[in-house]
Amino acid sequence: MRAIINNQEQDTKTTIKGDVNIEEGLSGDNCSVTGNKSTETMSTIRSGSGVGDTDYKNAHIGRSREYWRDMILGVNDGLVSTFLLVAGVYGSGLDSRSILLTAISGMIAGAISMAGGEYVATKTQGEVMKAECDLEQKDIKEHKSDELRYLSELLETIGIPETESIDDSTFAVRRAILEYYKNNDDAHLRVNVALAFGSIKASERSPLIASVVAFFLFIAGSLTSVIPFVLVHDRYGAMVTSFVCTILAILVVGGVKTWATKGSWWISAFENFIITSGGGAVAYGIGLLFGGTF
């Protein structure tokens, strides 16, 4: 295959006869497609035969998938970190008013920190990716043959293995693909970035959206530890209410998360329960220790 790519003077045209079955799967660390071979052909796709029912696409969560990390991180951090803060100062013996002020301060500081961190991190990631894309564009322009060989290797990651037999249908497919990208630098850049960097236009994240989502969901998560000390004046009763509200909220977050991940609600909720209750016990113990020391 490499010999064909390097031979720039050879003008052999490959004709692909018949219809091409869509059989290839995509595989990677986080995504795999397996199952029965599709019976759709290029002819039926072009004619639209058998195509039209797209209701199955509703199972996907759409563009919001890029911000689920920020949503879960924001609300979960608000729930857990604020409750641990409240448990710690409660253990130290502070009165309800002092605990409330501490919780509010922690909520505001945590939300600002979370939003700022998300903005800077997301923007930095975007800038790093842009720099990599600019460098890749320069490489394609100045080292076209080497980049085509690199693309030939990348094709194996999407289920198009290398073959030396011209009788193999894969040979014709690879030849057609490489011929196309040899004459289209912009498309070559896009496919290299997608396969090598795992980035496409649709996966780009807005630093502003990420920070706003993290800010407000952190606030929302923190309210389960703040509101009880506003409404319940008894110190112990407020703490118990805060714990119960936080656990219930964690169960809800677990349910929402598994709606998107199609995973187990119980496992997700149990993980958060262990983190919150275990962390709360540690924070309370530290509060007792320092409250009795100072």
Side-chain angles (χ1 to χ4, degrees):
M1 200 64 211
R2 293 188 175 87
I4 293 174
I5 299 169
N6 288 328
N7 188 359
Q8 301 291 332
E9 298 178 354
Q10 183 177 356
D11 187 24
T12 303
K13 295 182 179 180
T14 303
T15 303
I16 306 176
K17 298 182 179 180
D19 292 332
V20 180
N21 286 331
I22 302 174
E23 300 175 350
E24 299 296 342
L26 301 180
S27 62
D29 291 337
N30 298 316
C31 178
S32 63
V33 180
T34 58
N36 296 329
K37 296 180 179 180
S38 171
T39 57
E40 292 288 346
T41 65
M42 293 304 294
S43 295
T44 58
I45 290 174
R46 283 193 297 267
S47 66
S49 175
V51 178
D53 181 12
T54 59
D55 290 344
Y56 69 93
K57 285 292 186 181
N58 294 331
H60 295 276
I61 59 178
R63 282 287 289 128
S64 66
R65 71 170 65 90
E66 305 304 329
Y67 298 98
W68 271 81
R69 172 190 177 277
D70 308 295
M71 290 188 281
I72 297 301
L73 180 61
V75 69
N76 211 63
D77 202 14
L79 283 166
V80 177
S81 64
T82 308
F83 175 74
L84 298 191
L85 177 63
V86 167
V89 295
Y90 175 84
S92 68
L94 293 184
D95 58 79
S96 293
R97 178 178 173 79
S98 298
I99 294 175
L100 175 60
L101 292 175
T102 301
I104 293 174
S105 298
M107 176 180 68
I108 295 173
I112 294 173
S113 177
M114 174 69 71
E118 280 292 342
Y119 182 86
V120 172
T122 303
K123 185 177 181 181
T124 300
Q125 184 63 31
E127 291 171 344
V128 168
M129 189 57 64
K130 184 181 183 303
E132 286 289 286
C133 290
D134 290 343
L135 182 60
E136 187 66 17
Q137 186 175 38
K138 180 174 179 290
D139 290 342
I140 289 173
K141 182 178 180 180
E142 298 178 357
H143 308 281
K144 187 66 176 182
S145 296
D146 291 332
E147 288 298 313
L148 283 171
R149 279 194 291 272
Y150 181 46
L151 175 58
S152 179
E153 296 173 0
L154 291 176
L155 291 178
E156 297 188 31
T157 67
I158 57 171
I160 308 179
E162 186 169 359
T163 178
E164 298 293 342
S165 173
I166 61 174
D167 296 324
D168 193 327
S169 60
T170 305
F171 183 94
V173 172
R174 289 178 66 90
R175 175 59 187 268
I177 290 173
L178 293 171
E179 281 293 328
Y180 173 77
Y181 288 116
K182 182 177 72 174
N183 301 310
N184 192 328
D185 286 356
D186 182 61
H188 190 176
L189 173 63
R190 293 186 184 187
V191 73
N192 271 22
V193 168
L195 297 181
F197 305 156
S199 175
I200 58 175
K201 189 72 175 176
S203 68
E204 292 180 358
R205 300 168 70 246
S206 165
L208 182 59
I209 293 177
S211 63
V212 169
V213 167
F215 178 86
F216 284 106
L217 286 180
F218 186 97
I219 293 289
S222 299
L223 292 178
T224 59
S225 295
V226 173
I227 292 178
F229 285 92
V230 175
L231 302 178
V232 182
H233 299 293
D234 175 62
R235 182 172 172 272
Y236 175 77
M239 187 66 217
V240 171
T241 303
S242 175
F243 176 73
V244 171
C245 290
T246 300
I247 295 301
L248 290 176
I250 281 173
L251 296 178
V252 172
V253 170
V256 173
K257 188 180 81 170
T258 53
W259 168 81
T261 63
K262 312 299 186 292
S264 170
W265 175 70
W266 289 106
I267 292 177
S268 177
F270 182 71
E271 288 173 346
N272 263 353
F273 173 78
I274 293 298
I275 293 171
T276 305
S277 57
V282 172
Y284 177 73
I286 293 175
L288 282 177
L289 176 63
F290 283 90
T293 302
F294 299 101

